[in-house]
Amino acid sequence: MLDVVDAAGLAGGRYRLEVTADGASSTPTTSAAELTLDIGDLSRLWLGDESAVRLAALGRVREERAGAALVADALLRTSRRPRCPDQF
């Protein structure tokens, strides 16, 4: 469970992230959060170039359940850095 903080009020809330071999989905929930993070940090994790464990050590992500950052890394980190072939 992720508790997402969004100062703009567009995407904040508590979400259940479910992952299977066929993909992932998220649904709103009222269950207790395991990880609390800002929407920007969730974006960094989702893109695969950041570590939840590192963000937790920096105080940017808060583990509500011990080991939740490690689980997030297992779900969201990629073996290669993300790359966009287009220049912005």
Side-chain angles (χ1 to χ4, degrees):
M1 263 44 92
L2 302 175
D3 192 4
V4 180
V5 178
D6 180 10
L10 301 173
R14 194 163 290 165
Y15 299 92
R16 177 186 311 273
L17 178 62
E18 297 184 79
V19 180
T20 68
D22 296 324
S25 65
S26 67
T27 54
T29 185
T30 57
S31 298
E34 296 177 0
L35 205 61
T36 299
L37 67 167
D38 182 79
I39 188 73
D41 291 321
L42 176 59
S43 299
R44 287 176 187 85
L45 294 174
W46 193 256
L47 289 172
D49 193 34
E50 186 56 89
S51 162
V53 171
R54 179 177 177 277
L55 290 176
L58 293 171
R60 296 184 62 128
V61 168
R62 186 173 66 238
E63 284 187 307
E64 308 297 347
R65 183 185 58 77
L70 192 60
V71 171
D73 275 352
L75 295 174
L76 301 171
R77 292 255 359 228
T78 60
S79 59
R80 296 183 185 173
R81 293 190 70 188
R83 178 181 173 275
C84 179
D86 299 321
Q87 297 295 323
F88 289 93

